[in-house]
Amino acid sequence: MDKDIERLFDGYRPQLSDSSVFMERLGRNLDMIEEIRRQNASERVRGRAALAIAAVAGFIAGVLFSFMLPYIGAVANMICSNLPGDAAVMALENYAPVFGWLLVGATSVIISLNAYDLTLMLMKSRCK
C-alpha cells in the first residue's frame, strides 16, 4: 500500500508561484478578512443597541398597557355581557382578565419587534 502511494506521488512536481505574487495575494486576503471583522463588530454593536432599545420600548409598552388593564377588562366584560347565551357568556366572563393580559403581552411583543427592526434600519442608513 505504501509503495502504491509513493509511486502515485513520484512524478508530482508542483510549480511554485513567485513569492511577490503570493505575498500580494496574501495581503489582499488579509485585508478582506480585516474588513469582514470590522463589519461584524459594527453589526454586533448595532444589534446590541437595537436589542436594548427594543427591550426598553417593550417594557414601557407593557407598563402603560398594564395601567390600562382595568379599562381593557371592562370593555371585555361589556362585550361578553352583550353576547347571547348563558353558559358561554359566563365562561368568557371568567376569562376576561386572561384576554386582557394576552392583549397586553401581544402588544408589548409587537412594539418590541417593531422597535428592534426600526432601530436596525435607522442605524444601517445612518452608517452608510
Side-chain angles (χ1 to χ4, degrees):
M1 172 110 171
D2 289 335
K3 294 286 185 189
D4 293 336
I5 295 174
E6 191 175 312
R7 259 186 315 176
L8 182 66
F9 287 108
D10 271 345
Y12 182 66
R13 302 282 183 252
Q15 292 290 331
L16 298 176
S17 63
D18 187 17
S19 64
S20 63
V21 173
F22 171 77
M23 291 304 291
E24 183 181 318
R25 190 170 6 139
L26 179 64
R28 278 194 318 254
N29 289 343
L30 289 176
D31 290 341
M32 286 190 294
I33 290 171
E34 192 60 35
E35 178 65 27
I36 291 170
R37 283 185 182 157
R38 279 194 299 270
Q39 288 176 354
N40 285 343
S42 68
E43 280 291 323
R44 195 176 308 120
V45 167
R46 285 195 300 258
R48 287 180 181 163
L51 182 64
I53 290 171
V56 169
F59 178 76
I60 291 171
V63 168
L64 292 177
F65 277 97
S66 294
F67 286 137
M68 294 174 54
L69 197 59
Y71 303 110
I72 295 170
V75 169
N77 284 332
M78 185 181 69
I79 291 171
C80 289
S81 66
N82 290 331
L83 292 175
D86 293 333
V89 171
M90 291 291 281
L92 286 176
E93 282 182 14
N94 291 336
Y95 291 112
V98 174
F99 295 134
W101 281 110
L102 285 174
L103 179 65
V104 168
T107 306
S108 298
V109 167
I110 290 170
I111 288 174
S112 294
L113 289 174
N114 287 330
Y116 181 80
D117 287 339
L118 184 64
T119 304
L120 279 181
M121 183 182 68
L122 291 175
M123 290 179 94
K124 280 185 182 178
S125 66
R126 188 181 73 191
C127 290
K128 287 183 178 179

